[in-house]
Amino acid sequence: MKKTVITISREYGSGGRIIGKKLAEALGINFYDGELLSLVAKESGYTEEFVRQNDQKKTQSLLYHLYMGSQILPASDMIFIAQSRVIKALHSKESCVIVGRCADYVLRGKEDVINIFIHAPLESRAERVKTEYGEQADNYVTHVKKKDKSRVAYYNYFADDSWGKVQPYDLAVNSDIGVDNAVKIIVDYVKAKQGE
């Protein structure tokens, strides 16, 4: 396989993380999701706990910035910058799968990057969160919507594009077809794109 970085963007509860992990295994390449945070901590000099607390969080309001002064970047911005450097470094040295963290945006314009979007109907995602993720919620549909809203806010803050818009992605896969089928479709796409 030619060097390829595959980014996985996903709706909450769509199974995008497990699809990404199985995809990396099927292709024999490294997988980065939470593992990326350790690399960001090393790159930035921040503690791993600090990185985890500020990972994928949108910055505070404009009033907060005005109050704090414009000299210091908010923690989430500093983490995003360090994370972007790590993502670019991974891209330059290896084939891998990177889940979330605006990797599709950070690596935009690179020819050896394949951007995948994983989605599923809201009810399916709510059921997966309840049965597979083991999360507790009074209303799982509301819980999933809230998590998606947080992802949208984070992506739209750091990227100059809209999260979930189809144009930046090479392939969108509805995970209701099953994790293994989704992985097979993506593997077939990767091979076709590489001319195999």
Side-chain angles (χ1 to χ4, degrees):
M1 183 173 112
K2 298 175 193 165
K3 185 177 86 63
T4 302
V5 173
I6 301 165
T7 71
I8 304 279
S9 299
R10 74 271 187 238
E11 290 179 322
Y12 187 71
S14 65
R17 182 183 191 287
I18 189 66
I19 289 169
K21 191 164 182 57
K22 287 189 167 204
L23 176 64
E25 290 167 5
L27 295 172
I29 59 178
N30 288 325
F31 171 78
Y32 296 98
D33 183 17
E35 300 81 358
L36 197 63
L37 301 182
S38 298
L39 298 174
V40 170
K42 287 177 190 169
E43 151 73 27
S44 65
Y46 302 124
T47 66
E48 199 164 325
E49 180 182 348
F50 178 79
V51 171
R52 286 190 188 285
Q53 287 173 347
N54 292 285
D55 178 45
Q56 299 190 78
K57 292 207 166 67
K58 184 174 86 81
T59 301
Q60 305 284 339
S61 71
L62 177 61
L63 290 175
Y64 174 83
H65 291 300
L66 293 173
Y67 174 74
M68 293 303 287
S70 60
Q71 301 298 324
I72 301 171
L73 279 175
S76 57
D77 287 28
M78 292 187 296
I79 297 303
F80 180 78
I81 291 167
Q83 191 170 265
S84 296
R85 283 195 299 259
V86 168
I87 289 168
K88 288 175 182 176
L90 289 171
H91 168 263
S92 70
K93 71 177 188 175
E94 66 179 275
S95 290
C96 61
V97 173
I98 303 173
V99 174
R101 291 167 180 83
C102 299
D104 62 312
Y105 172 74
V106 171
L107 299 176
R108 70 194 177 282
K110 307 285 187 194
E111 289 185 20
D112 56 354
V113 174
I114 297 174
N115 299 312
I116 308 294
F117 189 80
I118 307 296
H119 62 96
L122 180 59
E123 295 74 22
S124 298
R125 294 187 291 128
E127 184 61 28
R128 178 178 274 122
V129 169
K130 180 180 178 182
T131 60
E132 294 177 31
Y133 294 9
E135 294 184 22
Q136 299 298 315
D138 291 332
N139 184 316
Y140 285 95
V141 168
T142 302
H143 178 67
V144 167
K145 285 181 179 178
K146 184 178 176 185
K147 291 284 195 171
D148 272 348
K149 186 176 178 181
S150 176
R151 284 186 178 170
V152 168
Y154 173 79
Y155 189 92
N156 291 352
Y157 176 79
F158 286 108
D160 62 359
D161 213 339
S162 296
W163 181 85
K165 198 169 96 177
V166 73
Q167 286 80 4
Y169 302 104
D170 295 282
L171 182 66
V173 179
N174 183 333
S175 62
D176 262 8
I177 63 169
V179 168
D180 292 335
N181 287 328
V183 170
K184 183 181 182 318
I185 287 170
I186 299 168
V187 167
D188 288 347
Y189 181 84
V190 170
K191 288 179 178 178
K193 182 135 186 187
Q194 293 187 341
E196 291 182 22

